[in-house]
Amino acid sequence: GTQSKETLRQNLLLWSVADVATYISAAGFPEQAVAFRTQEIDGKSLLLMQRSDVLTGLSIRLGPALKIYERHVKMLQRTHFLDEEDDL
Amino acid sequence: GTQSKETLRQNLLLWSVADVATYISAAGFPEQAVAFRTQEIDGKSLLLMQRSDVLTGLSIRLGPALKIYERHVKMLQRTHFLDEEDDL
Amino acid sequence: GTQSKETLRQNLLLWSVADVATYISAAGFPEQAVAFRTQEIDGKSLLLMQRSDVLTGLSIRLGPALKIYERHVKMLQRTHFLDEEDDL
Amino acid sequence: GTQSKETLRQNLLLWSVADVATYISAAGFPEQAVAFRTQEIDGKSLLLMQRSDVLTGLSIRLGPALKIYERHVKMLQRTHFLDEEDDL
Amino acid sequence: GTQSKETLRQNLLLWSVADVATYISAAGFPEQAVAFRTQEIDGKSLLLMQRSDVLTGLSIRLGPALKIYERHVKMLQRTHFLDEEDDL
């Protein structure tokens, strides 16, 4: 991978609970960001989340939860793992 | 796809939370429409819903939930994705 | 299918919430019949029920729920769909 | 099958709610036996139980639940169905 | 397997509820260790735990739960079963 991809990936693993909450909030979900903070989701936890974890494990409303999972959690995970393959 | 199908599909992606609630209510489920509104389900969220989301994520009674999923949510999703294939 | 099978199948699709509750009660589960009524399960909803819906969606005790699903819900669904094939 | 296996199998199908509770209690889980009694689990229901039913449907603590399922429920079911095959 | 692996495996099966709680606490999750103790998870129960058991059966926050499962429960189980194969 390029230098910048490597940096992004390292950043994701280094994201704190506050970094995740800031990202979710900036993505348009400030209310749901509170739940990510309450459940102590940092970058490493984010990489381990499955669909049902986002939909029922955070106690957030279903509509936003569906979008957060499809557009953000899945996308961040995919980017992370694609970068890993890229480095092999 | 035809012009009208294209319009329908675009409309679905553009449905607001109020549009979804109006559709569910007009389909014969006014009481359950309130739950769709409370959970902030818009057209984009509707496309992402799975069976278990409708049955347990909305806190509505099981009987109506089963019908809403089979007759409406599944049908709208199917129409949407068939139209997409049609456009390829 | 024979005339009588056709009648049975039509009947199932025509069962009201009260018809379902009466059937469940007559099958030896009067207490659980109340839950079917509360959740508004009619014949059409009954055809759509899965194991987990009966076990956790009705808030009835596990022992009777297991028997109601295996002996009655599954059996009624199987009869219904076998009749459908029969008619092809 | 032998006479004794046949007897065991018939016994299992004939176990009352009290018989199941007595077995679970004697297996070292007197506290959890109460939950089996409350949920009205008799021998026939026991044969229909899946892992998730034991773990979440009985509202018992996770540690004992895991052991009761693996060591007792699964074992009794396996013995029952092996005996059935044996009789073919 | 070597003598030391055999010892480790035997130890895991012999871990008490207190041993498991001590391990989880020393791994950096003192708060969650309390939940393992409350749910009476000993070494034998730990070997039987699945992802969903850790995430929803312990009533602990999602972020730490994801890490405890991936880094500790899965790892201990894998080590245990690899040792078993090793002994064949």
Side-chain angles (χ1 to χ4, degrees):
Chain A
T2 66
Q3 184 64 30
S4 64
K5 276 187 179 172
E6 182 65 16
T7 311
L8 176 69
R9 175 150 65 88
Q10 286 185 348
N11 284 351
L12 192 56
L13 283 173
L14 294 175
W15 280 16
S16 66
V17 170
D19 294 334
V20 171
T22 301
Y23 173 92
I24 298 292
S25 183
F29 302 96
E31 211 183 310
Q32 288 72 27
V34 177
F36 276 81
R37 191 187 291 273
T38 305
Q39 294 294 330
E40 292 183 24
I41 310 289
D42 60 13
K44 286 174 194 128
S45 296
L46 198 77
L47 280 172
L48 299 170
M49 291 185 94
Q50 296 181 356
R51 186 179 188 274
S52 65
D53 304 332
V54 178
L55 263 59
T56 65
L58 293 168
S59 302
I60 58 179
R61 284 194 294 281
L62 189 56
L66 288 161
K67 291 177 186 167
I68 288 170
Y69 176 68
E70 286 293 331
R71 294 188 201 159
H72 300 288
V73 174
K74 235 168 107 170
M75 182 274 290
L76 288 169
Q77 292 177 344
R78 205 171 278 171
T79 307
H80 176 79
F81 293 114
L82 284 177
D83 284 348
E84 268 193 335
E85 279 178 22
D86 222 32
D87 290 334
L88 296 181
Chain B
T2 66
Q3 183 63 31
S4 64
K5 275 188 181 171
E6 182 65 16
T7 310
L8 175 69
R9 176 151 64 89
Q10 287 185 348
N11 282 352
L12 192 55
L13 284 173
L14 294 175
W15 280 16
S16 67
V17 171
D19 294 333
V20 171
T22 301
Y23 172 92
I24 298 292
S25 184
F29 302 96
E31 210 183 310
Q32 287 72 28
V34 178
F36 276 80
R37 190 187 292 271
T38 305
Q39 295 293 329
E40 292 182 24
I41 310 289
D42 61 13
K44 287 174 194 129
S45 296
L46 198 78
L47 279 173
L48 299 170
M49 290 185 95
Q50 296 181 357
R51 186 180 190 274
S52 65
D53 304 331
V54 178
L55 264 59
T56 67
L58 293 169
S59 302
I60 57 178
R61 283 193 295 281
L62 189 56
L66 288 161
K67 290 176 186 166
I68 288 170
Y69 177 68
E70 287 293 330
R71 293 188 201 158
H72 300 288
V73 174
K74 236 168 105 170
M75 181 273 290
L76 288 169
Q77 292 177 344
R78 205 170 280 169
T79 307
H80 177 79
F81 293 115
L82 284 177
D83 284 348
E84 269 193 334
E85 279 177 23
D86 223 31
D87 290 334
L88 297 181
Chain C
T2 66
Q3 183 64 31
S4 65
K5 276 187 181 172
E6 183 64 16
T7 311
L8 176 68
R9 175 149 65 89
Q10 287 184 348
N11 282 351
L12 192 54
L13 284 172
L14 293 175
W15 280 15
S16 66
V17 171
D19 294 333
V20 170
T22 301
Y23 173 91
I24 298 292
S25 184
F29 303 97
E31 211 183 309
Q32 287 72 28
V34 177
F36 276 81
R37 190 186 292 271
T38 306
Q39 295 294 329
E40 292 182 24
I41 310 289
D42 60 14
K44 286 173 194 131
S45 297
L46 198 78
L47 279 173
L48 298 170
M49 290 185 95
Q50 296 182 356
R51 187 180 189 274
S52 65
D53 304 332
V54 179
L55 263 58
T56 67
L58 294 169
S59 303
I60 58 177
R61 283 194 295 281
L62 189 56
L66 288 161
K67 291 177 187 166
I68 288 170
Y69 176 68
E70 287 293 330
R71 293 188 201 158
H72 300 287
V73 174
K74 238 168 103 170
M75 181 274 290
L76 288 168
Q77 291 177 345
R78 205 170 279 170
T79 308
H80 177 79
F81 293 115
L82 283 176
D83 284 348
E84 269 194 332
E85 279 178 22
D86 223 31
D87 291 335
L88 297 181
Chain D
T2 66
Q3 184 62 32
S4 64
K5 277 187 180 172
E6 182 64 17
T7 311
L8 177 68
R9 176 149 65 89
Q10 287 185 347
N11 283 350
L12 191 55
L13 284 173
L14 294 175
W15 281 15
S16 67
V17 171
D19 293 333
V20 170
T22 301
Y23 173 91
I24 298 293
S25 184
F29 302 96
E31 211 183 309
Q32 287 72 29
V34 178
F36 276 82
R37 190 187 294 270
T38 306
Q39 295 293 330
E40 291 182 26
I41 310 289
D42 60 12
K44 285 172 194 131
S45 297
L46 199 77
L47 280 172
L48 299 171
M49 290 185 95
Q50 297 182 356
R51 188 180 187 273
S52 64
D53 304 332
V54 178
L55 262 59
T56 66
L58 293 168
S59 302
I60 58 178
R61 283 194 295 281
L62 188 56
L66 288 161
K67 291 178 186 167
I68 288 170
Y69 176 67
E70 287 292 331
R71 294 188 201 158
H72 300 287
V73 174
K74 235 169 107 170
M75 182 274 291
L76 288 168
Q77 292 177 344
R78 205 170 279 170
T79 308
H80 177 78
F81 293 115
L82 283 176
D83 284 350
E84 269 193 334
E85 281 178 20
D86 223 32
D87 290 334
L88 298 181
Chain E
T2 66
Q3 184 62 33
S4 63
K5 275 186 180 173
E6 183 64 17
T7 311
L8 177 68
R9 175 150 65 89
Q10 287 186 348
N11 283 350
L12 192 55
L13 284 172
L14 294 175
W15 281 16
S16 66
V17 171
D19 293 334
V20 170
T22 301
Y23 173 92
I24 298 293
S25 184
F29 302 96
E31 212 183 310
Q32 288 71 28
V34 178
F36 276 82
R37 191 187 293 272
T38 306
Q39 294 293 331
E40 291 183 24
I41 310 289
D42 61 12
K44 286 173 194 130
S45 297
L46 198 77
L47 280 172
L48 299 170
M49 291 185 94
Q50 297 182 356
R51 186 180 188 273
S52 65
D53 304 332
V54 178
L55 263 59
T56 65
L58 292 168
S59 302
I60 58 178
R61 283 193 295 281
L62 188 56
L66 288 161
K67 291 178 187 167
I68 288 170
Y69 176 68
E70 286 292 331
R71 294 188 200 158
H72 299 288
V73 174
K74 235 168 106 169
M75 182 273 292
L76 288 168
Q77 291 176 344
R78 204 170 280 170
T79 308
H80 177 77
F81 293 115
L82 284 177
D83 284 349
E84 268 192 336
E85 281 178 21
D86 222 33
D87 290 335
L88 296 180

